[in-house]
Amino acid sequence: MGLSLRMRRRGGAKKDILTPAISSSEEEEEIVIPSQFQCPISYDLMKDPVIIASGITYDRENIEKWFESGNQTCPVTNTVLATLEQTPNHAIRRMIQEWCVAKGSSLDRVSTPRVPISSHQAIEICGKLLSATRRGDHVVCVEMVEKMKRLVQESERNTKCFKANGVGLVLCVCFNAFSENANASELLEDVLLLLTWMFPIGSEGQANLTSTTSFTRIVGFLKSGDQNAAFLVKELLSLDEANVDKLATINGVFDALVKSIRDSSSLTSIFYMISAKPETTSRFMELGLVNSTVEMLVDSENSVCEKALLVLDAICESNEGRTIVRGNELVMPILVKKILKISEFAKKSLVSVMWKICKTGDGTEVEEALRLGAFKKLVVMLQVGCGEGTKEKVTELLKMMNRHMKTNGFVDVSDSSIEFMHLKKPS
């Protein structure tokens, strides 16, 4: 038995079109896909048939999903497989292609797929790159890295194969070895690109990328706006706080991060640096970090707002930071506007920023927040629900505003007090 497809040939049409049946008056032609051309998992026509250790042929995409789910058996025979390797079934593929051609325009011809690399091939390429790196052979390194880049861009399976066979470490060694070579920029750019797919890279790979020469070269790429460099800096800082100390010593890194702040990776890196090394805050302040971060809050997507608010919150940990944040006229209007429009994660940082600048201010911040309508929005936020730490800060902010209204007669206190009466005290 084969799978049937119903094909309609519309009157007067020159081409056969596969469509659902609509009217019994239209001429219909049934195409039966031979069973040997169907994948035993999906029962669809195979596009990339491969044989596994049990001798059964499957479509590569389907059997890979089966293996990736943790299965080590043949779906048809249920036997445990000695190996999960897949071998292209060229004979079946050619038969499928010929069958598709015989059906004319009724079916798309199955193209010849690119065969994924094997673990043996990945190890071989990796070995050649490592050998060339050790002897300083720039030409062969370029050749191997370009080959890797082509294969990685061909399929995700190739990427996984390289990653599983230790290519990440070798790329780190290569980058470190050529980091002082002024003529190796193109090679190093390609290595950075490949490394974005290879994390985590392990402690040895990390040591190579965080050497003074490697970090200096990465910062150099960051200065030129290289997004892969920004991603690598972020990943390296997230792995170990010690990397923050190393990066902070690299000339021009603060300026490079602030200039590339529109890249969310750089924004995250700034957060890591300020959080792990608070003394870096002053340097970032000198470069206009607050203004740049506030500008990003105006029209950025939610994920960027989350990171920008994290940075502002970290800045507000210091007196200097809070003073500069208060001095930006856009801060409070933006915070109030976004209270109910951002994710729960972002709200936590937003409330923390507002609480820090209001609690340590002279009262003008509380008055501005009230004038902008923060009171009712915070009440809604509390009623909808939020985390315990955030809830305490919101409650304290509302108490500050309530006292200010009663003391200064800022608005009609009665209605606001009624709302405030129903707020639960933090436990």
Side-chain angles (χ1 to χ4, degrees):
M1 281 292 288
L3 182 69
S4 296
L5 289 178
R6 181 166 292 176
M7 184 194 74
R8 171 171 308 113
R9 182 173 286 114
R10 298 186 186 278
K14 292 184 179 179
K15 292 186 177 181
D16 296 331
I17 305 173
L18 289 176
T19 61
I22 298 175
S23 169
S24 57
S25 63
E26 295 174 316
E27 182 184 352
E28 293 181 350
E29 178 183 335
E30 194 173 78
I31 297 176
V32 179
I33 300 176
S35 58
Q36 67 268 32
F37 296 167
Q38 299 171 33
C39 174
I41 296 175
S42 66
Y43 297 104
D44 291 331
L45 181 68
M46 290 187 285
K47 297 179 180 179
D48 186 5
V50 293
I51 306 171
I52 63 172
S54 64
I56 307 295
T57 296
Y58 298 89
D59 197 35
R60 187 189 296 278
E61 182 180 356
N62 294 325
I63 195 62
E64 283 186 348
K65 287 180 180 178
W66 172 263
F67 291 150
E68 286 171 1
S69 297
N71 299 298
Q72 296 186 341
T73 58
C74 172
V76 171
T77 66
N78 205 34
T79 55
V80 177
L81 302 171
T83 174
L84 303 184
E85 287 291 326
Q86 303 143 43
T87 305
N89 192 331
H90 297 298
I92 287 292
R93 177 177 51 76
R94 282 193 293 269
M95 290 169 66
I96 292 174
Q97 288 176 333
E98 290 169 1
W99 179 77
C100 288
V101 171
K103 294 299 176 182
S105 59
S106 303
L107 292 170
D108 291 332
R109 184 177 185 274
V110 175
S111 60
T112 303
R114 295 182 181 274
V115 179
I117 61 169
S118 64
S119 293
H120 175 75
Q121 290 171 312
I123 291 170
E124 183 180 12
I125 295 170
C126 186
K128 288 181 179 178
L129 176 59
L130 183 58
S131 296
T133 297
R134 285 172 173 168
R135 64 176 183 269
D137 192 334
H138 179 262
V139 174
V140 173
C141 284
V142 169
E143 181 185 343
M144 290 299 104
V145 168
E146 286 182 348
K147 187 173 185 177
M148 283 185 190
K149 187 169 72 167
R150 175 176 57 78
L151 290 168
V152 162
Q153 291 171 339
E154 277 182 10
S155 74
E156 186 179 351
R157 187 177 187 276
N158 288 346
T159 304
K160 290 179 179 177
C161 187
F162 274 129
K163 188 174 179 179
N165 287 284
V167 169
L169 173 58
V170 176
L171 288 169
C172 293
V173 171
C174 180
F175 190 93
N176 191 36
F178 287 92
S179 58
E180 292 186 277
N181 188 330
N183 299 316
S185 293
E186 289 187 17
L187 168 64
L188 296 177
E189 281 185 41
D190 285 343
V191 170
L192 286 179
L193 171 63
L194 288 169
L195 280 171
T196 61
W197 286 304
M198 298 300 160
F199 275 80
I201 54 174
S203 57
E204 190 177 347
Q206 186 184 159
N208 276 276
L209 283 186
T210 57
S211 69
T212 301
T213 55
S214 286
F215 245 160
T216 299
R217 198 63 183 265
I218 292 172
V219 170
F221 284 117
L222 183 62
K223 289 177 182 177
S224 65
D226 190 303
Q227 291 183 322
N228 296 321
F231 174 83
L232 249 68
V233 169
K234 180 199 72 172
E235 290 299 308
L236 290 168
L237 295 184
S238 71
L239 292 173
D240 191 342
E241 282 191 7
N243 292 336
V244 173
D245 292 324
K246 293 180 182 178
L247 184 64
T249 64
I250 305 300
N251 185 42
V253 66
F254 294 95
D255 189 55
L257 286 170
V258 173
K259 283 184 177 178
S260 61
I261 198 171
R262 284 283 169 184
D263 187 313
S264 61
S265 291
S266 290
L267 195 58
T268 304
S269 294
I270 291 171
F271 169 71
Y272 286 145
M273 291 191 74
I274 293 176
S275 300
K277 199 175 176 67
E279 58 268 31
T280 61
T281 305
S282 296
R283 183 71 185 106
F284 280 122
M285 296 301 98
E286 293 170 5
L287 296 167
L289 176 62
V290 169
N291 292 342
S292 299
T293 305
V294 171
E295 286 172 11
M296 293 189 70
L297 288 170
V298 176
D299 56 2
S300 296
E301 60 182 23
N302 199 45
S303 62
V304 176
C305 280
E306 289 178 356
K307 295 178 177 66
L309 286 167
L310 276 173
V311 170
L312 273 185
D313 191 28
I315 290 171
C316 286
E317 283 293 312
S318 68
N319 288 327
E320 178 190 9
R322 289 191 293 272
T323 299
I324 295 177
V325 170
R326 286 194 198 95
N328 188 299
E329 295 179 353
L330 289 175
V331 169
M332 192 60 76
I334 290 174
L335 293 180
V336 174
K337 180 180 179 181
K338 288 188 173 289
I339 289 175
L340 301 177
K341 296 181 178 180
I342 52 179
S343 68
E344 290 303 312
F345 182 79
K347 285 177 184 176
K348 179 181 178 181
S349 299
L350 183 149
V351 168
S352 182
V353 172
M354 188 179 289
W355 176 77
K356 286 173 183 175
I357 60 178
C358 286
K359 186 176 177 65
T360 60
D362 59 7
T364 57
E365 297 80 16
V366 175
E367 183 174 328
E368 184 181 14
L370 276 168
R371 180 173 54 80
L372 293 166
F375 189 93
K376 288 187 177 181
K377 289 185 177 182
L378 288 172
V379 168
V380 172
M381 184 177 173
L382 204 59
Q383 291 172 339
V384 170
C386 49
E388 194 61 36
T390 302
K391 180 180 177 181
E392 290 181 6
K393 289 185 175 70
V394 170
T395 302
E396 192 169 348
L397 278 166
L398 288 170
K399 286 180 177 179
M400 285 186 239
M401 293 177 187
N402 201 47
R403 284 195 298 269
H404 189 88
M405 288 188 286
K406 288 179 177 178
T407 303
N408 299 285
F410 186 77
V411 293
D412 185 356
V413 180
S414 56
D415 291 339
S416 299
S417 296
I418 291 171
E419 288 185 281
F420 193 69
M421 283 170 54
H422 300 287
L423 300 180
K424 294 182 179 179
K425 295 181 180 180
S427 56

